[in-house]
Amino acid sequence: METKVITITDKLDALALLPAAEVLQKGGLVAFPTETVYGLGANGLDTEAVKAIYAAKGRPSDNPLILHVADFAEIDKLAHDISDTARKIIAAFCPGPITIILNRNRIVPDAVTGGLNTVGIRMPNHEIARELIRLAGVPLAAPSANTSGRPSPTTAQAVLADLQGKIGAVVDNGSCKFGLESTIVDCTSAVPTVLRPGAITLEMLAAVVGEVKLDPALVGENSIPKAPGMKYTHYAPKAPMIMLEGAKGKMVAGLLTQIAKAKAEGKKIGAVVSSETAKELPADVAIAVYGSREKMSEIATNLYEALRKFDQTEVDVIFAEGTAEVGLGLAIMNRMHKASGYRIINL
Ligand code: AMP
Ligand code: MG
């Protein structure tokens, strides 16, 4: 299959999107930009189209998909018994980088929910994404547009690196603003529970609804995550990655020690680090800078491209600089821990 690349440089060009909408209406797959990462969309009410997403990504079938909508009225068609708390969260943060887990209506196919009685719904804060959904005329089931287990794509080039020839089209609108997947919040329980941290932080949710919980599986407690996808190793670069964590003052010395050890073993070394730390590392280390350690939003935006940099650079091991686990740092560290397969050195 030839993957059509539709480039949109303006904010919105509905005419240019028509061929993409046509692919979707025929049951095909279209990757499209959102404010978080690129999504791989299909008609979310068509079981066969939804199954094609799992096949293209190599995604386990028990890992449910998020339904993307363009308008508030769509939410009530897909879900029932929406609590007042859920409505408050929707009013405060939609459209935006948040997915709300609600009680699913019968119209939602089992293939979308992996058989769960709930459904994840998101309204992207991205005009092109919402226009594509409107043109398709149906909610779009859309996971991240990567091969399962790989870092999520934040550019159309990253989508093509994984999925060229496997999908009908990709809409290219440059880099994504936030760079990490949406916050997932389960609103089917009395107290809303964050199942996956993201750009809408715990602090932001608490400011709107008061009490918010964090899925115990996210804080290292030995329980099964409520978002099935969170149990898989994920976001991983091709070489093994080791995280270094601890006080900022110990980071450079810690990295230099690990680098010296790996060099003695004859390994080629990569490092995913802040711009501040990068300056202190030896010249023969392949470095991907994720931004300034003082700017969490910059790190979030650049993280996946930094991890993907090592697909082109031959390295045997990657050392990665951790950051504080507060605010947006919770989402960043959640993805980095998974990318490292929980290989962590505490400094
Ligand atoms: P992705 O779209 O690739 O970011 O993956 C979607 C994430 O949402 C996965 O971690 C899923 O397990 C999670 N998810 C989707 N639907 C549900 C649901 N009904 N309940 C809990 N988690 C869900
Ligand atoms: Mg994903």
Side-chain angles (χ1 to χ4, degrees):
M1 173 189 317
E2 198 199 326
T3 302
K4 207 178 298 173
V5 179
I6 300 168
T7 305
I8 299 185
T9 42
D10 289 359
K11 258 190 136 11
L12 181 65
D13 181 351
L15 261 186
L17 282 176
L18 282 177
E22 202 174 308
V23 171
L24 291 166
Q25 281 160 355
K26 288 184 178 154
L29 306 183
V30 175
F32 61 95
T34 78
E35 79 279 34
T36 59
V37 301
Y38 274 72
L40 180 59
N43 179 347
L45 302 182
D46 173 348
T47 296
E48 291 312 310
V50 168
K51 282 187 177 164
I53 293 180
Y54 288 93
K57 282 179 60 81
R59 182 176 175 107
S61 60
D62 71 342
N63 187 2
L65 306 178
I66 293 166
L67 285 182
H68 291 63
V69 300
D71 301 291
F72 288 98
E74 291 296 309
I75 299 175
D76 289 280
K77 293 185 195 160
L78 301 171
H80 63 271
D81 288 329
I82 302 175
S83 66
D84 289 345
T85 318
R87 300 246 181 232
K88 270 191 203 163
I89 293 175
I90 292 168
F93 301 112
C94 296
I98 189 164
T99 296
I100 324 278
I101 305 293
L102 298 168
N103 299 303
R104 129 213 209 194
N105 280 349
R106 280 277 125 222
I107 186 181
V108 179
D110 283 338
V112 167
T113 65
L116 298 175
N117 287 326
T118 55
V119 60
I121 300 180
R122 177 161 121 75
M123 191 187 295
N125 190 10
H126 195 291
E127 279 195 61
I128 291 172
R130 286 207 307 276
E131 187 61 21
L132 184 64
I133 298 165
R134 282 196 198 100
L135 289 172
V138 286
L140 296 183
S144 49
N146 53 316
T147 298
S148 216
R150 299 257 301 130
S152 297
T154 56
T155 64
Q157 289 68 40
V159 173
L160 290 167
D162 282 9
L163 298 176
Q164 184 142 41
K166 295 184 178 173
I167 61 176
V170 54
V171 179
D172 181 355
N173 184 237
S175 299
C176 300
K177 182 177 171 202
F178 291 114
L180 295 181
E181 303 80 354
S182 58
T183 302
I184 299 180
V185 56
D186 182 357
C187 291
T188 62
S189 47
V191 178
T193 306
V194 170
L195 308 186
R196 176 172 72 183
I200 304 297
T201 61
L202 278 174
E203 294 84 346
M204 290 161 77
L205 285 163
V208 170
V209 294
E211 198 186 355
V212 186
K213 284 198 285 207
L214 192 57
D215 186 1
L218 289 176
V219 284
E221 283 170 33
N222 216 359
S223 53
I224 298 168
K226 264 196 94 181
M230 296 297 278
K231 69 177 179 280
Y232 295 106
T233 308
H234 214 292
Y235 321 113
K238 287 181 179 167
M241 180 168 120
I242 299 168
M243 293 283 306
L244 278 81
E245 295 176 23
K248 280 179 196 170
K250 293 184 178 172
M251 188 54 64
V252 171
L255 273 165
L256 291 175
T257 306
Q258 294 305 321
I259 288 169
K261 267 194 215 162
K263 259 189 206 168
E265 291 165 11
K267 288 182 177 160
K268 281 192 203 146
I269 301 159
V272 181
V273 293
S274 64
S275 48
E276 292 87 350
T277 299
K279 291 184 204 135
E280 313 290 333
L281 301 186
D284 56 352
V285 172
I287 293 176
V289 172
Y290 57 35
S292 166
R293 68 177 171 213
E294 306 304 331
K295 291 193 192 135
M296 290 293 172
S297 63
E298 201 174 291
I299 300 176
T301 304
N302 297 326
L303 179 64
Y304 289 143
E305 273 303 293
L307 295 180
R308 279 181 180 263
K309 187 175 169 187
F310 294 108
D311 294 350
Q312 278 86 46
T313 319
E314 278 301 312
V315 294
D316 302 309
V317 61
I318 300 168
F319 295 110
E321 175 180 357
T323 183
E325 277 180 275
V326 288
L328 190 51
L330 189 64
I332 293 167
M333 289 297 277
N334 170 262
R335 306 313 193 273
M336 290 186 85
H337 282 155
K338 285 170 158 290
S340 73
Y342 298 90
R343 280 176 286 244
I344 300 166
I345 295 173
N346 285 302
L347 299 173

